[in-house]
Each structure stands twice: as structure tokens, then as C-alpha cells.
Amino acid sequence: DLAPVSGVALDASQSQIAIRHVPDRPGMAAQIFQLLASEGISVDMIIQSQRRRVVAGQTCRDIAFSVAEADLGRACDLLEASRTVIGWERLDVTEKIAKVSAVGKGMVGCPGVAAKMFAALADRGINIQTIVTSQIKISCAVDRDRGVEALQAIHDAFGLSERYQATSRE
Amino acid sequence: DLAPVSGVALDASQSQIAIRHVPDRPGMAAQIFQLLASEGISVDMIIQSQRRRVVAGQTCRDIAFSVAEADLGRACDLLEASRTVIGWERLDVTEKIAKVSAVGKGMVGCPGVAAKMFAALADRGINIQTIVTSQIKISCAVDRDRGVEALQAIHDAFGLSERYQATSRE
Ligand SMILES: C[C@@H](O)[C@H](N)C(=O)O
Ligand SMILES: C[C@@H](O)[C@H](N)C(=O)O
């Protein structure tokens, strides 16, 4: 099936954690995610943009990721305990997000699919909080209370047939 | 093939553009990517983290993405022409990145795969510039001149057999 978008999905059970000002040197990301993995916490949508900031002479970057809302407390506790070891500055938490995604093998090299998905959300006045894409999948985080509407908007924009059942886990 | 990682890939022909301080209201992301799509410019790895900044009373977010290096000039020209219409502040360009990826259907819900990939890069002293993940794929941008070494490090870390030929396009 080489349609640009063959399916849409909604996961309305995630939270997002952003770790501000992680020292930008090799090994920091590995330590953070080894810590979470060692406690069996699965992470989704890891986002580190290339923006750097210098804080007290140290170059830093922010690393954000999503977890199941049920794991949020445990993840924050683990990270807090690692604060001095790793040297990050603070955690910003968004407790309730809705992750909406469009997937399709046909979207590779097909400019315009992401724009169409973003426009479908814009037309309903839904603000995009985060974006993360791969070559065959586009995911956005939006307000939890707009999740179902966002899914419907994307579903309609790509003309998916009524038969399609959106799953909550991609 | 449900191995956590069944393949690795390197794309050493991309550039990265970060658009700083895009007004955080519905429609902005759609306009930016419609503009690029209308000129046939394919984008990869769109990254928008949830970090917001207030600039002159307007809440803004940064949006970064990668393009083929061959499209960099055209993409920047198009964006520059849209600056007042959309209202973003500045472009930060990284002309030469190497995107290394690990893919595998088995990584869903398998904590530790991302940590292992990040550790493989850390062990070689390779700094991670950006990270973007989906449930079955993890991609990092590193220095272009460390791309092949990064690919080798990840390939070895996941014990992929010699038979595997890394493609430059996933
Ligand atoms: C910030 C973090 O990603 C760091 N650059 C690392 O390589 O681990
Ligand atoms: C910043 C941009 O993503 C904006 N929030 C939008 O929805 O388009």
C-alpha cells in the first residue's frame, strides 16, 4: 500500500517530560535513557533539537520525550535522583498530551504530506505543541482534550475510508 | 523480523535548518511546510520541541528540519521571503550533518534500545546533535565527518551481521 497516508493513530495516554539544559557532551543522552530503561520505563517520541545554550560556561541542549502517563511519576523521581550526576537544570512536564500520527510508506519523498496534516489541525484551530517525523510517519502532540478531534481532522484530510479503525497504539 | 534493531542506515547528504521563534499559533507550521512543498522540497526529520519562549509579547517555538543539502539554498531563499508573512525571527543552518538511524519492529515497548544506540556513539566520543524517534526508528544527527564511524558503532553495538549493507536512503 503506497498511499502517502495509509493510517492514522491517536495515543491519548502519554505525558511529556522535557529535561532542560543537559550538558552537551557525549554520554549524557546514553546515561539518561539507560537510567529509564533500567527501571523498565519505555519512552516514545524522543526530541532533541540542535539548539544549544551556554549556561554558566557549559554548552547545553534540551532533551524531551514522552512516556505513558502511568510511568510519569516514576520517571520524574528517577530523573530527579540523577540531577547532580548528570547535571541537568530542570524538568518541564506536560502531564496530559494527545499524540496524533499519520503513517504511510508512500510519503517518502512526497513533499506536502506533513503540510497537509498540519493544515488539517490548523483548520480546526488546534495548536501543535510538538512535531516529530520519520520518513514514513508524522506525529504531533496536541492538547489531550483535542485529541479525538485532531484524529478526525487528519483522517478526513487524507480521505481514509470509514472502514479504517484508528488504534490507540500504533 | 522482530529483532529490536534489524537495520542501520546513514544519510550523509543532509543539511539542517532551524527556524527560530515561529509564532505559536495554529497554521504556522502548515504555512512553512506548504511553502516548501509547493516548490517540491522534501523535508526529513521535522523536530519541534514543546519549549516556548515569549518574544516581544508573542509566544514562539522553534521548528527544525532537515533537507537534502542540494535543496538548502532554495529552502533558505523561500523561507527568507516568507519572514514577514509568517513572522519568524531567524534561521540557524547546519550545512553538513550525518543522519544515522537504527530501525526495528521489535523495539516497540523494548526499553533500552535508544540508550544502547546513544551509548555506542558516546563510547566513540561522538556528540549527538539532534535526536528524533518513532516507535520503530531512532535517528541522530552527528558531525558529517563522523557519520561512517557512527554507523559502524551502531552496527557493531547491535551485532548486525556482516551481510547487512547499509543503504544511504532508508
Ligand atoms: C545532549 C546530549 O545529546 C549529548 N550531546 C550527548 O551526546 O549525549
Ligand atoms: C509553532 C507551530 O507549530 C504552531 N504551534 C502551529 O500549530 O502551527
Side-chain angles (χ1 to χ4, degrees), chain A residues 22-30 48 61 63, chain B residues 126-129 131:
Chain A
V22 174
D24 183 29
R25 46 172 197 273
M28 294 294 103
Q48 177 190 311
R61 295 184 208 249
I63 301 181
Chain B
I126 298 174
N127 197 43
I128 302 169
Q129 293 178 4
I131 305 169

Side-chain angles (χ1 to χ4, degrees), chain A residues 22-165:
Chain A
V22 174
D24 183 29
R25 46 172 197 273
M28 294 294 103
Q31 275 191 48
I32 289 168
F33 291 101
Q34 278 164 346
L35 181 68
L36 295 165
S38 68
E39 295 286 327
I41 295 177
S42 275
V43 299
D44 191 11
M45 292 205 295
I46 302 173
I47 301 175
Q48 177 190 311
S49 84
Q50 97 289 22
R51 178 152 188 152
R52 283 182 302 190
R53 267 167 277 275
V54 180
V55 178
Q58 165 73 52
T59 308
C60 302
R61 295 184 208 249
D62 295 343
I63 301 181
F65 58 92
S66 62
V67 293
E69 192 174 347
D71 288 334
L72 178 62
R74 239 172 9 119
C76 288
D77 290 347
L78 275 175
L79 289 167
E80 285 295 345
S82 76
R83 184 197 204 107
T84 40
V85 170
I86 294 175
W88 50 265
E89 194 178 299
R90 71 170 197 280
L91 297 182
D92 285 354
V93 173
T94 313
E95 214 170 303
K96 294 185 188 302
I97 63 166
K99 174 187 162 194
V100 280
S101 308
V103 285
K105 288 203 170 46
M107 69 170 73
V108 178
C110 173
V113 175
K116 194 168 172 180
M117 176 170 164
F118 302 153
L121 297 174
D123 291 349
R124 305 240 181 148
I126 297 173
N127 198 43
I128 301 169
Q129 293 178 5
T130 62
I131 303 170
V132 65
T133 71
S134 71
Q135 293 196 327
I136 58 169
K137 182 171 176 180
I138 305 163
S139 294
C140 293
V142 300
D143 271 351
R144 173 80 61 88
D145 55 7
R146 309 288 307 268
V148 173
E149 195 186 346
L151 181 75
Q152 191 64 49
I154 299 165
H155 181 281
D156 294 350
F158 291 105
L160 294 177
S161 73
E162 285 316 302
R163 282 196 322 281
Y164 180 79
Q165 283 306 317

